[in-house]
Amino acid sequence: MPDDWSCPTCGFRLYLPVDAPSLRATRLGLYSDARFPGRAILVFNRHAEHLEDLDAPDLQNLWSDVASVGRILRPLVGAARINYGVLGNANQHLHVHVIPRNPASEPLPTRPPWSDPRPMTELPSAVTERFRGQLQAALHQPRGT
């Protein structure tokens, strides 16, 4: 798998892609963010800017992908909960942020992750690659297993 993916229409770039053939409507990528280990992003497979413009099957597949990734990530990284964000203000390609949260280790656990005052630092590459491999393995399983 290439080290990145970008939309041919708008140029939106996905960093650290995860090979996830069981996802139906999205591509998955990881962030290397030590504040939120396991932080991920799901990017809609084709160029779309607005969630409300998707038809019902695309919406169902998008949210099914989001739930699948959250279901895998929470126990994988030991998160208390997962935050999901669909913003689109800076990058107009439809995407969903999937952010594991651990209140015990955060300075502002009740605030949105974008309010976190800690500087973003990268995780050790071995940790990121371990998460990537574990996500890939889990997402190579057929749905329902």
Side-chain angles (χ1 to χ4, degrees):
M1 179 162 214
D3 286 338
D4 65 13
W5 171 87
S6 62
C7 174
T9 302
C10 68
F12 183 95
R13 185 170 175 252
L14 180 63
Y15 184 65
L16 291 175
V18 174
D19 184 23
S22 65
L23 297 179
R24 296 177 179 154
T26 59
R27 295 177 186 265
L28 175 63
L30 282 176
Y31 286 90
S32 181
D33 185 350
R35 301 169 305 170
F36 305 105
R39 181 179 171 192
I41 188 168
L42 287 156
V43 179
F44 196 62
N45 276 337
R46 66 178 190 279
H47 183 75
E49 292 188 25
H50 305 283
L51 182 68
E52 66 274 14
D53 290 343
L54 299 184
D55 62 21
D58 282 339
L59 276 171
Q60 181 177 3
N61 287 332
L62 171 73
W63 291 119
S64 178
D65 289 355
V66 170
S68 292
V69 169
R71 195 175 296 115
I72 292 165
L73 263 181
R74 190 161 42 100
L76 178 71
V77 301
R81 68 180 313 105
I82 301 286
N83 285 177
Y84 301 94
V86 181
L87 305 171
N89 299 333
N91 296 300
Q92 285 78 42
H93 191 106
L94 181 59
H95 60 283
V96 179
H97 296 270
V98 183
I99 306 166
R101 301 295 300 267
N102 286 299
S105 64
E106 295 179 25
L108 300 173
T110 63
R111 304 290 302 148
W114 290 273
S115 298
D116 194 296
R118 299 172 289 176
M120 184 173 164
T121 57
E122 290 193 8
L123 286 166
S125 61
V127 172
T128 300
E129 286 306 315
R130 186 180 79 236
F131 287 154
R132 191 179 192 183
Q134 290 170 320
L135 279 167
Q136 282 179 177
L139 290 164
H140 271 78
Q141 301 297 318
R143 295 256 178 158
T145 61

